[in-house]
């Protein structure tokens, strides 16, 4: 007979993170570089009071439980207040990515049936361009104070954030409801078809927060000062706005200043210990720090994910700046964290070179994420560091369906259970470290064998004359596809095709060496800071390889 446990039934709600932060870390600071140009400071106590005021304001605006409330905003304290006010009161926070094309934004806002939108002043022209096109948004709020409100605007009935908030008192009791209720919504910028929505729940978010804070995940504590470079519109800034409340870490929001200089100044002035972002952002930061012969005086860890972190970057951070890179992997569909690369005890006895080889991998699954690799027929492959196949995942913060069932049931039922197919191709070693070799749609198939474009890019990036490199497939009459390397040189650097190809000698199997190199001024970057390889493939679809 089953005997039930006798513990309290408390729903896992996002508002509980804020209540905890106010009670136990009320004095902790949130520092923001504002769109208005200055540095703004408030405490978690202020955050909690202002979020309650905003919850009252949302109710007056007619926002009800389950309604979607959109944001178009940088990382900042007002955005953070909306994270808690909207989800905490039972509505759904829908973070829009301002880097998307206006047509796509209109499609997404209509698809989500957003009823209100809150935006930073930077995006006023964008809002003016789409305001008459979006079907369901009735309320437009500029996230600023009265003094900075635009004198004139084409946006109907434009409201002022600080004014809305100032009219309310801070008495508000966060409602209790089913922990499986929707809390926030984020669309993936898919490379084909329309973007699809991932609808997170309170339960999935709180569980993900517990896991993300762990020492072998993002390793966050009350002694940290965290600067999320990763935008709050990209999978909830990888969960850091929630983690900061759970552990009581100081938060520093960079606002629109994501260039190397602005970030570096904020790192130093606010004594940041931990930061997080995609490799392209760190490229800019490292170039600035290198060019100006600077050092980081407090930053000791940097979470890098979203695309593969080149080993050369891991080395540069570690050897020149004493910053430990934490390579992590995840997806919008996974809240996003899946794996993080931290050492096991046995690695501590290894040489630095051996440890670098470990750090280049995407890492071990965090408890809560179950993973396996399968071949094209769906048969499970061994964890031997050799066999490579598609990665399948499951767990309580992994999506089961897209919003409104877009695209039907995405899961594969490999062994009766539903698994989410990530579209990533990888191998897993005997210690459980996963290493991505490619996206299934980016994979290069030469004579029936896979060539991992990420390996090739990582080697190219280790060349000091290379600023950015992408490896794509080009048509070949004999091999079907062969690798073509597209390179952006560092400013002023001279690098020839033959020099670049010679750089691969001894570092890679001969047949993996690209057949040709083309130099370009820039590689297209998508809305979340990743290289758009599908665009490159389109650009080079008629490219004739010298070997063809
Ligand atoms: P998104 O949903 O936009 O965050 O994209 C998720 C995809 O980004 C994953 O399926 C991977 O293809 C890629 N990705 C994320 N993190 C990494 C990483 N550390 N290394 C390689 N690819 C990554």
């Amino acid at each position: 007979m089953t005997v039930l446990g006798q513990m309290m039934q408390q729903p896992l709600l996002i508002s509980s993170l804020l209540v905890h932060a106010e009670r136990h870390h009320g004095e902790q600071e949130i520092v923001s570089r504002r769109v208005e140009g200055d540095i703004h400071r408030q405490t978690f106590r202020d955050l909690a009071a202002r979020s309650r005021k905003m919850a009252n304001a949302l109710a007056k605006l007619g926002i009800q439980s389950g309604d979607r409330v959109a944001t178009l905003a940088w990382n900042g304290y007002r955005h953070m207040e909306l994270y808690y006010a909207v989800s905490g009161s039972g509505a759904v926070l829908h973070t829009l990515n301002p880097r998307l094309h206006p047509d796509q934004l209109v499609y997404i806002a209509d698809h989500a049936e957003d009823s209100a939108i809150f935006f930073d002043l930077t995006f006023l022209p964008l809002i003016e361009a789409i305001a008459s096109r979006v079907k369901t948004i009735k309320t437009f709020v500029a996230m600023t104070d009265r003094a900075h409100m635009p004198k004139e605007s084409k946006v109907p009935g434009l409201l002022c954030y600080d004014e809305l908030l100032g009219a309310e008192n801070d008495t508000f009791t966060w409602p209790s409801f089913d922990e499986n209720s929707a809390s926030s919504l984020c669309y993936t910028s898919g490379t084909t078809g329309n973007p699809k929505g991932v609808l997170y729940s309170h339960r999935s978010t709180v569980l993900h927060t517990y896991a993300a804070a762990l020492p072998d995940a993002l390793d966050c504590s009350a002694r940290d000062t965290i600067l999320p470079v990763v935008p709050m519109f990209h999978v909830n800034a990888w969960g850091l706005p929630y983690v900061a409340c759970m552990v009581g870490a100081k938060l520093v929001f960079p606002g629109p200043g994501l260039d190397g200089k602005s970030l570096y100044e904020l790192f130093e002035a606010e004594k940041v210990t931990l930061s997080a972002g995609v490799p392209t952002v760190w490229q800019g930061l490292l170039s600035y720090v290198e060019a100006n012969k600077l050092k980081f005086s407090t930053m000791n860890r940097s979470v890098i994910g979203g695309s593969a972190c080149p080993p050369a970057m891991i080395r540069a951070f570690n050897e020149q700046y004493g910053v430990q890179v934490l390579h992590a992997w995840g997806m919008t569909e996974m809240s996003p964290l899946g794996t993080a690369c931290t050492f096991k005890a046995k690695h501590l006895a290894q040489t630095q070179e051996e440890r670098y080889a470990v750090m280049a991998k995407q890492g071990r699954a965090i408890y809560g994420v179950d993973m396996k690799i399968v071949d094209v027929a769906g048969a499970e492959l061994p964890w031997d560091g050799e066999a490579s196949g598609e990665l399948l995942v499951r767990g309580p913060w992994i999506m089961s369906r897209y919003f409104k069932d877009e695209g039907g049931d995405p899961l594969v039922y490999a062994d009766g259970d539903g698994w989410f197919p990530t579209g990533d191709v990888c191998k897993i070693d005997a210690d459980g470290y996963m290493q991505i070799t490619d996206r299934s749609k980016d994979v290069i198939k030469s004579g029936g064998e896979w060539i991992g474009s990420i390996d090739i890019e990582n080697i190219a990036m280790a060349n000091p004359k290379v600023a950015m490199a992408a490896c794509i497939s080009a048509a070949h009459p004999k091999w079907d596809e062969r690798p073509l390397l597209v390179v952006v040189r560092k400013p002023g650097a001279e690098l020839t095709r033959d020099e670049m190809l010679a750089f691969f000698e001894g570092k890679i199997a001969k047949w993996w060496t690209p057949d040709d190199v083309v130099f370009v001024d820039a590689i297209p970057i998508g809305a979340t800071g990743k290289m758009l390889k599908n665009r490159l493939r389109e650009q080079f679809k008629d490219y004739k390889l010298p070997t063809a």
Side-chain angles (χ1 to χ4, degrees):
M1 194 183 76
T2 309
V3 178
L4 290 182
Q6 296 180 325
M7 309 310 281
M8 291 185 190
Q9 286 291 332
Q10 276 197 327
L12 301 174
L13 299 178
I14 286 173
S15 55
S16 68
L17 295 167
L18 185 63
V19 170
H20 175 83
E22 180 180 27
R23 200 178 279 229
H24 300 279
H25 304 282
E27 294 302 311
Q28 188 57 285
E29 259 192 316
I30 300 171
V31 181
S32 310
R33 177 176 278 143
R34 294 202 285 190
V35 172
E36 291 92 330
D38 57 351
I39 298 282
H40 173 274
R41 292 175 186 278
Q42 70 178 18
T43 61
F44 278 6
R45 190 165 294 127
D46 300 326
L47 165 73
R50 286 171 58 95
S51 300
R52 289 194 297 269
K53 287 184 183 184
M54 190 36 79
N56 280 324
L58 291 171
K60 282 213 186 119
L61 289 170
I63 307 288
Q64 296 181 357
S65 175
D67 284 355
R68 267 78 71 199
V69 175
T71 59
L72 202 56
W74 302 112
N75 293 3
Y77 67 102
R78 293 189 185 101
H79 206 173
M80 176 93 166
E81 289 159 10
L82 289 167
Y83 261 55
Y84 287 95
V86 173
S87 304
S89 54
V92 178
L93 182 84
H94 176 200
T95 49
L96 284 164
N97 184 338
R99 293 183 187 134
L100 294 175
H101 190 276
D103 291 349
Q104 252 182 342
L105 285 174
V106 171
Y107 168 83
I108 295 174
D110 285 350
H111 187 269
E113 298 173 73
D114 293 329
S115 52
I117 188 161
F118 288 70
F119 61 94
D120 270 337
L121 284 177
T122 322
F123 306 118
L124 180 64
L126 184 52
I127 293 287
E128 287 181 331
I130 65 171
S132 62
R133 298 175 58 198
V134 287
K135 294 199 188 78
T136 54
I137 299 181
K138 298 284 175 275
T139 306
F140 296 86
V141 185
M143 293 162 69
T144 189
D145 53 23
R146 178 44 58 188
H148 291 90
M149 281 296 278
K151 300 291 167 267
E152 274 169 43
S153 158
K154 288 184 248 148
V155 182
L158 181 62
L159 298 170
C160 165
Y161 184 96
D162 278 10
E163 225 167 54
L164 273 183
L165 207 140
E168 302 299 329
N169 70 48
D170 68 4
T171 311
F172 181 88
T173 306
W174 298 109
S176 183
F177 43 77
D178 185 342
E179 63 183 15
N180 292 299
S181 307
S183 59
S184 58
L185 177 63
C186 188
Y187 279 69
T188 58
S189 37
T191 44
T192 53
N194 279 320
K196 294 201 261 305
V198 180
L199 189 62
Y200 310 104
S201 71
H202 283 260
R203 173 185 157 82
S204 72
T205 304
V206 173
L207 290 176
H208 179 266
T209 308
Y210 275 118
L214 284 171
D216 273 350
L218 304 186
D219 185 20
C220 301
S221 79
R223 296 160 302 286
D224 274 312
T225 297
I226 305 175
L227 188 151
V229 179
V230 52
M232 290 166 84
F233 53 76
H234 185 202
V235 223
N236 304 319
W238 299 349
L240 290 170
Y242 304 117
V243 170
C245 278
M246 180 177 274
V247 304
K250 174 176 165 181
L251 266 177
V252 182
F253 287 129
L258 300 178
D259 58 289
K261 180 171 189 286
S262 307
L263 285 176
Y264 178 78
E265 286 171 2
L266 216 44
F267 281 139
E268 290 299 301
E270 298 303 327
K271 301 190 166 43
V272 170
T273 57
L274 172 71
S275 186
V278 295
T280 39
V281 166
W282 299 127
Q283 210 88 53
L285 179 74
L286 281 180
S287 307
Y288 174 79
V289 174
E290 193 181 292
N292 294 282
K293 303 197 168 37
L294 302 166
K295 293 273 173 219
F296 296 103
S297 39
T298 52
M299 182 154 79
N300 52 52
R301 281 120 65 225
S302 147
V303 183
I304 304 187
S307 36
C309 179
M313 186 177 277
I314 297 178
R315 251 173 221 271
F317 264 119
N318 192 48
E319 291 172 5
Q320 290 162 39
Y321 304 105
V323 175
Q324 176 88 11
V325 167
L326 190 87
H327 197 187
W329 165 85
M331 301 179 79
T332 307
E333 288 87 338
M334 302 176 66
S335 302
L337 269 182
T339 64
C341 195
T342 55
F343 295 126
K344 289 186 170 179
K346 70 176 185 187
H347 297 121
L348 301 181
Q350 292 183 344
T351 65
Q352 186 60 40
E353 285 309 308
E354 287 168 319
R355 294 218 297 250
Y356 277 136
V358 176
M359 288 165 82
K361 299 182 181 187
Q362 276 70 14
R364 291 179 281 126
I366 297 164
Y367 168 74
V369 174
D370 197 6
M371 64 184 189
K372 66 176 179 178
I373 41 176
V374 294
D375 65 15
V376 280
E380 186 163 1
L381 293 167
W383 290 17
D384 57 7
E386 297 284 331
S388 144
E390 184 175 3
L391 182 64
L392 307 183
V393 291
R394 61 178 180 181
W397 56 82
I398 295 166
M399 184 201 80
S400 61
R401 303 174 95 75
Y402 288 101
F403 187 43
K404 296 187 171 173
D405 265 352
E406 218 52 66
D409 184 356
L411 304 188
V412 293
Y413 295 87
D415 45 13
D417 281 322
W419 293 76
F420 181 76
T422 62
D424 287 320
V425 178
C426 69
K427 36 197 183 179
I428 304 178
D429 68 21
D431 288 319
Y433 287 77
M434 183 272 281
Q435 182 162 28
I436 296 192
T437 50
D438 236 317
R439 290 289 291 160
S440 52
K441 43 188 176 289
D442 290 338
V443 103
I444 301 164
K445 222 161 179 194
S446 173
E449 301 267 8
W450 283 355
I451 293 181
S453 64
I454 293 180
D455 272 341
I456 297 175
E457 287 157 9
N458 281 345
I459 293 173
M461 288 295 292
N463 186 308
K465 294 179 182 170
V466 172
M468 208 186 272
C471 186
I472 56 169
S473 61
H476 192 281
K478 179 167 178 202
W479 303 110
D480 209 19
E481 290 178 0
R482 288 292 303 156
L484 168 67
L485 187 67
V486 183
V487 170
V488 180
R489 296 186 189 95
K490 280 209 180 136
E494 284 177 26
L495 177 68
T496 64
R497 167 190 183 276
D498 292 345
E499 241 179 294
M500 184 73 248
L501 289 179
F503 192 71
F504 286 93
E505 263 166 44
K507 300 191 176 84
I508 202 170
K510 253 207 150 53
W511 70 278
W512 274 41
T513 306
D515 280 24
D516 205 3
V517 181
V518 283
F519 294 99
V520 293
D521 291 336
I523 287 173
I525 301 285
T528 53
K530 306 180 194 200
M531 297 191 289
L532 293 177
K533 291 208 207 168
N534 54 333
R535 274 264 202 97
L536 277 183
R537 276 197 295 270
E538 183 58 31
Q539 193 179 330
F540 290 101
K541 71 176 186 313
D542 299 322
Y543 191 79
K544 214 163 157 21
L545 290 168
T547 50

